Amino acid sequence: MRVLLSTYGSRGDVEPMAALAARLREHGAQVRVCAPPDEDFARRLADAGVPLIPVGPSARALTRARPAPASLPQRAARLIAGQLETLPAAAEGCDVLVATGPLPAAAGALSVAERLGVRAVSVTFQQLTLPSPHHPPLAYPGRPLPPEVTDHQVLWDLDTRHTDALFGEALDTNRAAIGLPAVDHIRDYVIGGRPWVATDPVLDPLYERPDLDVVQTGAWILPDERPLPAELTAFLDAGAPPVYVGFGSMPLHASPDAARVVVEAVRAQGRRVVLARGWAGLSAVDGQDDCCVVGEVNQQALFGRVAAVVHHGGAGTTTTAARAGAPQVVVPQAVDQPYWAGRVAELGIGAAHDGPTPAFDSLSAALETALAPGTRARAGALAGRVRADGAEVAARLLLDAHG
């Protein structure tokens, strides 16, 4: 069986595909992954024994460039064109194409599958993009949802108009170039009738969606066997468990002093700090030996040794911390991250910071909640309920459908 996995975005969009690719390879499938050309993604996929076919511009460079909301249609057009330029050769001879990522990228990938007559599966790593009467859609930059409207169906109808206005022309133009007809509504085209949601059912119980046959596989987790760096291990061994602080792919443009604020707040709790640079480029605020700055590390190993995890609320980081039994403080920045912050608070395994900009007082209050003994006890109890077999479930679904 030959499988093409297509994605675009940050580590949270690429690592789950690496997990699925690794499971498929263990079952004898031939797998390729189309993803942004960033070096850290190539290394992660190489660790899983999967070749990377680069598509589109660097996701890291695009994120750090802080593009204006008004440029979204132009950026989407480039994403779609990049998919149609790269994927036809990559998908030739494949039995199935699995597509995820931002709506324009997924639409481009699915159009390639349609043109080649290849079976396709649409996947999301957070369920809020799927219409439901129980929650509103996510807003696009520059197109806020009207706060006075509370009817979710009205908001989803507005979302249909927004997505068509932002991405429809670019998709239809590129589809016409490869002999495909226009689509009625781009969001509905990408979701299809049987979308997959690759999230954990304990952390992310599905909302009711009467019009969709949603398949929840569980989160796609790539086992990480990499040892922690010697300097980090020595730091961990030298004292009580520290607090990990990292914001992943979030550039934190609105929080230029984030490193100073979080380090001071953690120190005020009597804790040491492991500070992850991330795409924001966080660095040490002084020369004190109670702070260890790290780059890309094995979070699965590290989170089991920390007192709490302060992060941006990406689905992957939230799941990794939950599996490790680490209390969390989520400082949500965008998109689905406020949802994950809310879930952490509802489950009692941490705190949801109010807003995207950490301040000393607000972060200190959240840390007090996360570091309370009851929070750690609940986080530890939940850890064993978070499934680790999502990628295997997804791989089996693909193999069984292949016959």
Side-chain angles (χ1 to χ4, degrees), residues 100-129:
T100 189
L103 198 69
L110 293 168
S111 295
V112 171
E114 181 184 348
R115 179 65 181 84
L116 297 177
V118 174
R119 186 170 70 90
V121 176
S122 180
V123 181
T124 180
F125 299 133
Q126 48 92 3
Q127 63 167 309
L128 299 185
T129 56

Side-chain angles (χ1 to χ4, degrees), residues 290-319:
D290 65 346
C291 182
C292 179
V293 180
V294 298
E296 165 65 23
V297 297
N298 180 346
Q299 293 183 341
Q300 295 172 19
L302 175 58
F303 287 0
R305 300 195 59 182
V306 300
V309 175
V310 179
H311 64 100
H312 57 298
T317 308
T318 303
T319 303

Side-chain angles (χ1 to χ4, degrees), residues 25 31-34 42 45-46 48-54:
R25 288 184 72 251
V31 190
R32 300 171 178 174
V33 175
C34 286
L45 287 164
V50 181
L52 166 66
I53 300 174

Side-chain angles (χ1 to χ4, degrees), residues 108-162:
L110 293 168
S111 295
V112 171
E114 181 184 348
R115 179 65 181 84
L116 297 177
V118 174
R119 186 170 70 90
V121 176
S122 180
V123 181
T124 180
F125 299 133
Q126 48 92 3
Q127 63 167 309
L128 299 185
T129 56
L130 305 181
S132 169
H134 300 287
H135 66 83
L138 298 169
Y140 284 94
R143 291 179 179 259
L145 301 174
E148 70 277 7
V149 178
T150 57
D151 187 310
H152 291 159
Q153 185 56 56
V154 172
L155 293 174
W156 279 108
D157 291 342
L158 178 61
D159 181 71
T160 297
R161 296 195 293 274
H162 282 175

Side-chain angles (χ1 to χ4, degrees), residues 204-278:
D204 186 34
L206 289 184
Y207 288 103
E208 179 187 2
R209 292 180 169 82
D211 298 328
L212 294 175
D213 179 18
V214 180
V215 177
Q216 187 172 33
T217 63
W220 299 353
I221 300 167
L222 180 65
D224 198 339
E225 305 299 333
R226 296 174 297 171
L228 295 174
E231 179 183 355
L232 175 57
T233 299
F235 178 81
L236 295 169
D237 291 342
V243 171
Y244 169 92
V245 178
F247 298 97
S249 60
M250 296 294 101
L252 301 183
H253 290 307
S255 305
D257 62 343
R260 178 188 60 79
V261 170
V262 296
V263 169
E264 289 180 357
V266 173
R267 283 173 172 166
Q269 300 296 319
R271 298 282 181 169
R272 302 181 301 153
V273 189
V274 174
L275 185 65
R277 296 187 187 93

